[in-house]
Amino acid sequence: MGLPPLPKIEGDVDLLLEIFTHSSLRYGQSDGMNEEYGDTDRLAELGHRVLDLVVTFHYFSKRPILSATEVV
């Protein structure tokens, strides 16, 4: 069982810049909000949570018999 492929983000240059630009470099948008896409910090937090989920899924798939002390 594998994970589905990630969707491709093509065509929208503004969206690409919002995704790949750190919030400290966004001039004039100190609150992290974009009029069209909303709060991009939400997307960053979601990305962290998805990465945590993928890593957890990987370890539980490869080594399901580990005890709690062996995982840490």
Side-chain angles (χ1 to χ4, degrees), residues 1-48:
M1 179 177 157
L3 297 173
L6 294 173
K8 294 187 185 287
I9 301 173
E10 297 176 352
D12 192 345
V13 176
D14 292 331
L15 179 58
L16 288 171
L17 287 174
E18 283 290 324
I19 291 170
F20 295 114
T21 303
H22 191 267
S23 60
S24 66
L25 295 177
R26 292 190 198 120
Y27 300 110
Q29 291 186 0
S30 60
D31 62 354
M33 291 293 286
N34 179 297
E35 316 73 55
E36 190 174 345
Y37 307 117
D39 185 3
T40 54
D41 290 334
R42 292 182 312 150
L43 296 175
E45 184 62 31
L46 179 62
H48 290 290

Side-chain angles (χ1 to χ4, degrees), residues 55-67 70-71:
V55 169
T56 302
F57 178 80
H58 171 77
Y59 282 123
F60 278 171
S61 297
K62 297 293 180 185
R63 304 289 301 267
I65 310 291
L66 291 177
S67 68
E70 292 174 314
V71 172

